[in-house]
Amino acid sequence: MESAKIYRTTLKCSSDISGYYRYSDVFQIFSSERKESSPLEYFLDIEYNEKYINSSVFDDKDILVPVEIIKERAHLQLLNEIVSLLCIAMDEKFKICGDKDDGNIYPQEIISKFSEIEGQIMITECSFRLRRSMRDDDFVRIAPNAENFFRKYFALSFGDRDRYNASSFLYKISQDASIISASLSVVSCVSAVENLMDFDAKLKNIRFEPCSECNQPRYKLSRRFKDFMKEYSYVDDSTLNTNKLMEEIYSLRSSITHSGNILMIDKYLTLAPFKKFVEIAEIQSYVRHALFKYLELFTLEEDAMKNPISNP
C-alpha cells in the first residue's frame, strides 16, 4: 500500500514565530527560511499529512471535475482546514503563499517525512490567546488545551467535520475581511456561530415550534444566538459595555444584511472613533472563544477519541 504523502508549504503570518508546534502526525509549523521583505511580514512553514484528508470531498456531487483531479488536489482542502483551525487556536491571520511567478498555491512540495526540528522549543501557551481583542507585538502562541481541540476535530465523523469546518472557515473569512470591511467581518462572524447553532440543534434533536399566528419560530434566532454565545463564549459580568456589545452583535449583523446599515468604520474610514475598531476585534474574540470551547466540550465516543478518523 502506498504511504501517505507529506506536503510542505509556506504561510504568511501576522506575527513572528519562535519555536515550533506539532500536532501528532497531522501537521507541524515552524519558522520558515523565507525572509520578510518588510518589517511587518512574517513567514512560517507548515507540513501536513494527506492521510487526514476528509474523504467527503470525493463524494461531493457539486465538484464537477474528474475524480483524478480531486484526488490530486484534495490535500489543499486539508491545508485550508488546518489553517482555519490555527486562526482560532492562535488568534493569528494566515495566508497560504503562492508561487513567486504566478501566485498559484498548487502544486506543493512533497517530502518523505516531517522535518526534524533541532534547537527549537515548542511555542508557548497563552491563557489569553482566545480572549485578546487587539493584536499585540507578541510572538505566535497557542491557546491552552489546543491539543485536545485538534484531537476532537480530527476525531469527528466526516459529515460533522464538514459542518464544523464551515464555521472555522467563516471565522477565517471574518479575519481576512476585517482588513477591507468591518461590516463583512461582523456578518461572517455571526454566520460562523449560526452554523454551529443549527448543527447543535440537529444533534440534540431540538425542534422549535412555530407561532400559530406568524409561523415564525417561537424561539427567535437572536435569542438563540445570545444563549449560545453566553454558554460557549466568555462574558465579563463586571463590564457593562462588554455585556452590551454581546447583546448587540446579532442585531448589528441584521442591521447590515437586512437594512443596509453599513458600519461607520466602512463609511468614514479614519473618521470613525478608535473604540469602533476595538468593538470589531472584541466581536471576533467572542466568536473565536465560542468556536474553540464548543469543540472542546463536544462529546465524542471514547473509541473515536482513541482512533481519529483518517483515510486508509
Side-chain angles (χ1 to χ4, degrees), residues 93-293:
K93 294 180 180 178
F94 295 99
K95 179 181 179 181
I96 303 171
C97 294
D99 186 270
K100 292 182 179 180
D101 295 326
D102 60 12
N104 197 332
I105 65 171
Y106 181 83
Q108 299 192 353
E109 182 181 3
I110 299 175
I111 57 179
S112 59
K113 61 179 182 178
F114 283 108
S115 300
E116 296 292 334
I117 310 297
E118 298 180 357
Q120 296 189 44
I121 60 174
M122 289 274 280
I123 63 173
T124 57
E125 294 182 349
C126 176
S127 58
F128 294 103
R129 185 57 38 147
L130 295 175
R131 297 189 177 198
R132 69 174 182 173
S133 55
M134 298 302 289
R135 192 167 283 104
D136 48 36
D137 295 327
D138 199 2
F139 285 98
V140 172
R141 301 187 191 278
I142 197 164
N145 210 24
E147 183 170 339
N148 185 54
F149 173 72
F150 294 124
R151 184 182 295 116
K152 285 281 186 76
Y153 181 80
F154 287 103
L156 292 172
S157 69
F158 292 132
D160 290 351
R161 180 170 150 185
D162 268 338
R163 200 65 194 269
Y164 186 87
N165 177 55
S167 286
S168 60
F169 178 75
L170 284 166
Y171 173 76
K172 183 182 183 304
I173 291 297
S174 78
Q175 283 189 322
D176 297 340
S178 63
I179 300 174
I180 58 173
S181 171
S183 302
L184 287 177
S185 180
V186 170
V187 170
S188 296
C189 272
V190 174
S191 296
V193 175
E194 280 188 320
N195 176 62
L196 281 191
M197 287 163 43
D198 181 70
F199 173 61
D200 188 61
K202 289 180 178 177
L203 284 179
K204 296 174 180 177
N205 199 27
I206 298 175
R207 298 182 180 181
F208 302 99
E209 296 297 328
C211 172
S212 59
E213 296 181 2
C214 65
N215 204 37
Q216 295 297 314
R218 292 182 183 275
Y219 195 23
K220 290 184 177 181
L221 278 172
S222 57
R223 182 181 168 189
R224 287 171 58 194
F225 179 87
K226 293 173 186 176
D227 289 347
F228 187 93
M229 292 295 284
K230 288 178 180 178
E231 180 175 0
Y232 293 108
S233 191
Y234 67 94
V235 180
D236 185 357
D237 291 325
S238 65
T239 308
L240 178 62
N241 289 335
T242 299
N243 284 330
K244 182 179 180 182
L245 181 60
M246 175 72 85
E247 292 289 321
E248 292 179 347
I249 295 174
Y250 194 86
S251 59
L252 193 63
R253 193 288 298 265
S254 297
S255 177
I256 296 169
T257 56
H258 301 310
S259 303
N261 293 327
I262 303 302
L263 297 181
M264 181 188 294
I265 298 176
D266 294 334
K267 281 185 176 181
Y268 304 117
L269 299 177
T270 56
L271 297 180
F274 180 71
K275 69 175 184 178
K276 293 299 180 182
F277 292 90
V278 175
E279 286 180 357
I280 300 303
E282 286 182 356
I283 290 173
Q284 288 185 339
S285 72
Y286 285 140
V287 172
R288 180 171 61 250
H289 191 276
L291 296 184
F292 187 95
K293 188 175 180 181

Side-chain angles (χ1 to χ4, degrees), residues 55-65 67 70 77 162:
S55 66
S56 66
V57 67
F58 305 121
D59 303 318
D60 192 336
K61 300 298 189 295
D62 292 329
I63 303 178
L64 304 178
V65 296
V67 175
I70 296 177
Q77 179 193 8
D162 268 338

